[in-house]
Amino acid sequence: MLQFQIIPVTHYQQNCTLLWCDETREAAVVDPGGDIARILAVVAEKGVTLRQILLTHGHMDHIGGTAELVAQASLPVIGPHADDVFWIDLLPQQAQMMGFKPVAGFVPDQLLNHGDKVKVGNAELDVLHCPGHTPGHVIFYNRAAQLALVGDVLFKGSIGRTDFPRGNHADLINAIRTRVLPLGDDVRFIPGHGPMSTFGNERRTNPFVADKHYG
Ligand SMILES: [Zn+2]
Ligand SMILES: [Zn+2]
């Protein structure tokens, strides 16, 4: 079964997540925005073996520590979707705009498409392309654990910003309504920032995407 530990990183308190398979002890880091020493301390504490880095989208607070983690642990970088490569290429400008120290760039080893599957040990993650916050945003879903990692697509009580270059509000609402929420009311999700919730809770209470607005 898939296990997880949320590790808030950077001054944006971005939810970096350590995922691991409790059968093989193989692990993935999702969205290493920074604070690599803190992430590696959790890896050591859990006694798991890092195999890969997974990225939901190309924003600095989610990818800023990627090159450093690759340098320290030589891991393949998987994701996001090709439409977010322009954000990765803009890392120097993002660092300046968002108040980060300059960080090294990187090139993902594998970009993801809607319908792809990624393995963490014996656990399988479904990849769903959910554009809107960024054009190449993907989310990861593990059916067995009823767990999703949704990055900045959806938050408890809110949704991702769409006022960045190539953001699109209609695309984001469409992705949430047609791809994310239908995964099931009982599915728990880890957002890019803030507390966890369930898709059922957001269907009932989220002011942007609740069912009552889309009767
Ligand atoms: Zn973002
Ligand atoms: Zn973010």
Side-chain angles (χ1 to χ4, degrees), residues 14-44:
Q14 189 270 123
N15 288 329
C16 172
T17 304
L18 180 67
L19 293 177
W20 71 95
C21 165
D22 60 8
E23 293 156 13
T24 67
R25 310 298 294 174
E26 293 177 290
V29 173
V30 184
D31 287 357
D35 299 329
I36 297 307
R38 189 182 308 165
I39 297 169
L40 290 175
V42 176
V43 170

Side-chain angles (χ1 to χ4, degrees), residues 14 57 59 61-62 133 152 192-193:
Q14 189 270 123
H57 67 295
H59 280 162
D61 52 326
H62 298 252
H133 174 68
D152 289 351
H193 306 264

Side-chain angles (χ1 to χ4, degrees), residues 138-215:
V138 296
I139 72 165
F140 301 101
Y141 169 57
N142 178 249
R143 187 176 303 274
Q146 291 283 283
L147 180 75
L149 290 88
V150 304
D152 289 351
V153 169
L154 180 68
F155 304 108
K156 181 180 169 66
S158 188
I159 60 171
R161 287 173 58 174
T162 53
D163 57 334
F164 296 113
R166 296 180 60 189
N168 186 305
H169 183 77
D171 284 354
L172 180 62
I173 297 289
N174 184 54
I176 295 169
R177 293 287 309 171
T178 65
R179 291 187 168 172
V180 180
L181 297 181
L183 292 173
D185 284 0
D186 295 336
V187 176
R188 293 181 302 161
F189 69 92
I190 302 170
H193 306 264
M196 292 181 69
S197 179
T198 66
F199 293 144
N201 185 59
E202 300 316 301
R203 269 192 187 282
R204 287 188 300 277
T205 65
N206 189 301
F208 298 92
V209 292
D211 286 348
K212 63 184 174 217
H213 303 306
Y214 298 89

